Structure formats: C-alpha cells, structure tokens
Amino acid sequence: MRVIKNISKVRVTDIPAEGLKVDFPLDPSEVSKRANDPADAKEGGDIGLPRYNFEAPLDVSLELSLESSTVYLKGSLPYSFTTACSRCLGTATYSDLLDLNMILKKKGGDNEDDDVGFGHYVGEDIDCSIVVSEHLMLKLPYSVVCSADCKGLCASCGKNLNKELCTCEKVEVVEKLTPLAALKNIKIQ
C-alpha cells in the first residue's frame, strides 16, 4: 500500500489498486475555530454553546481504496480538548477516538444517499481534512464534566461545591408540586 504523508488532498485517479494510506495533521487552532464557530455567531454573540479548545496535535491516519468511482475511506483520529465543565464551570478535559468508515461517491446522478456513512466528492480530488473535520464536529459532546463525581455549583449562591461548602438553606422539593408526580402512582399491567 502506497503511503502519503502530510498531504490531505488526494486525486481519486491516483489511488492505486492496492489502496492508499494517507497520514496528515489537522491544525488544532483551525479545528477549535471551526468547533466554536456557532458560539461566535455575529448576530447572537455567545449563545451558551460549549467552547472547545484543541491544543494537542491531531494526527489523522486514513486508508483509501477505489472501486470504479467509489472511494472507500477507513481511518481514525485520536483527539482531546478542554472545555468548561457542565456542572461546575471548571476546566474539563475530554479524550476519545474518532473512527471513520465511509463510502464516498462522485456527486451527480441517482447516488444522492444522505447518511453519515456516505458522502460525495466533486471533481477529481477529495480533501480528506474536510471529511475528517466534519465527522469530528458531529462527534463532539455537548456536555463534558471535569470528573464523574463533580458536585457542580450551588443553585442558590453559585459556589463551586467541589472546592467549598455553602451555607445556603437546602430547598426541599414538594412532590405534589412537581409536574410529573401524578405519574408515580400509575400502575401499568
């Protein structure tokens, strides 16, 4: 299998019969910018979406094979980022592995499949960095915590309960007033 390093754009006709291995880096600052783009919307400003900060190198490794004009793409991308913890707003780190297994067909005709595992390319080139970054954006979690036992913030005073105790009175929930309390007594046979 032929190997290409540090280039993400591949000409479809250059994919040999035995396949092509493509290794390239994604720029962490560009990935962060793309991941945070909705939060930086000009009209609404910060709209409460999480902010993702990718700092470590993002090393992509893909294998491409060609059958007629259909490109089969397999690969992986280990990644990690920091963001605000969803409970306490401290720093949370998240790491995972993006596995890719896609079928790319030349755009046009009746092959307009609309699925995450299918994609299209236009012309004779495929920019693998775009394919990978699109799938990475789809995989980013909305809620990340700094630890499984994070206590979060006090709902009354806002203190970080991981770092200090608060002296606020605890508000007890009255079951009769909760909207779904009536469902507790329903018996299903």
XYZ file of all heavy atoms in Angstrom, residues 26 29 40 42 45 61 66 69 86-87 106 110 138 141 164 179 181:
125
model
N -4.123 17.651 11.453
C -5.109 18.728 11.404
C -4.624 19.805 12.365
O -4.188 19.498 13.478
C -6.488 18.233 11.860
C -7.301 17.406 10.889
C -8.612 16.959 11.546
C -7.602 18.177 9.624
N -5.683 24.693 16.101
C -6.324 26.008 16.187
C -7.449 26.138 15.155
O -8.491 26.739 15.442
C -5.299 27.133 16.021
O -4.694 27.069 14.757
N -19.695 31.708 18.213
C -19.210 33.033 17.858
C -20.104 33.716 16.832
O -19.689 34.653 16.169
C -17.787 32.935 17.281
C -16.791 32.473 18.322
O -17.040 32.699 19.512
O -15.769 31.885 17.941
N -22.271 36.067 14.846
C -22.246 37.521 14.959
C -23.565 38.100 15.472
O -23.579 39.041 16.232
C -21.898 38.122 13.605
C -20.468 37.863 13.187
C -20.168 38.541 11.879
C -18.765 38.405 11.394
N -17.948 37.333 11.686
N -24.081 36.575 19.356
C -22.967 36.537 20.295
C -22.837 35.147 20.884
O -23.153 34.155 20.244
N -4.981 9.303 10.368
C -4.454 8.177 9.601
C -5.619 7.526 8.865
O -6.565 7.037 9.490
C -3.780 7.175 10.543
O -3.257 6.107 9.806
N -10.239 2.310 -3.987
C -11.081 2.773 -5.088
C -11.684 1.587 -5.816
O -11.000 0.610 -6.122
C -10.229 3.612 -6.047
C -10.907 4.208 -7.270
C -11.954 5.227 -6.864
C -9.862 4.850 -8.175
N -15.718 4.498 -9.449
C -15.544 5.884 -8.996
C -15.910 6.033 -7.521
O -16.010 7.144 -7.010
C -16.396 6.827 -9.846
O -17.768 6.529 -9.662
N -19.664 21.077 32.591
C -21.093 21.384 32.526
C -21.717 21.575 33.900
O -22.785 22.164 34.012
C -21.846 20.257 31.812
O -21.378 20.127 30.514
N -21.057 21.093 34.938
C -21.614 21.204 36.291
C -21.015 22.350 37.097
O -21.734 23.103 37.728
C -21.412 19.892 37.045
C -22.185 18.734 36.465
C -21.966 17.489 37.295
N -22.470 16.309 36.622
C -22.121 15.080 36.925
N -21.263 14.847 37.907
N -22.624 14.067 36.256
N -18.930 9.863 -6.373
C -18.842 11.081 -7.181
C -20.221 11.725 -7.223
O -21.224 11.060 -7.427
C -18.345 10.746 -8.582
C -18.022 11.983 -9.369
C -17.212 11.629 -10.597
C -16.882 12.913 -11.304
N -15.475 13.092 -11.499
N -28.071 9.420 -9.594
C -29.027 8.959 -8.595
C -28.359 8.517 -7.296
O -29.018 7.962 -6.433
C -29.848 7.774 -9.150
C -30.783 8.216 -10.266
O -31.160 9.404 -10.263
O -31.134 7.372 -11.112
N -19.395 16.404 14.290
C -20.607 15.648 14.632
C -20.445 14.821 15.904
O -21.419 14.513 16.577
C -20.992 14.718 13.471
C -21.479 15.404 12.209
C -21.633 14.384 11.083
C -22.786 16.128 12.455
N -19.102 16.062 22.056
C -20.180 16.021 23.051
C -20.601 17.429 23.456
O -19.793 18.354 23.471
C -19.540 15.278 24.225
C -18.094 15.585 24.106
C -17.810 15.700 22.625
N -15.647 24.251 48.039
C -16.078 24.789 49.325
C -17.530 24.414 49.610
O -18.309 24.151 48.703
C -15.902 26.308 49.364
C -16.633 27.040 48.250
C -16.324 28.526 48.217
O -16.403 29.186 49.269
O -15.991 29.021 47.139
N -44.405 18.509 38.266
C -45.351 18.267 37.176
C -45.640 16.793 36.890
O -46.735 16.447 36.480
C -44.704 18.911 35.958
C -43.551 19.678 36.446
C -43.262 19.275 37.831
N -45.404 14.236 39.145
C -45.613 13.452 40.362
C -46.811 12.509 40.230
O -46.804 11.410 40.793
C -45.797 14.382 41.559
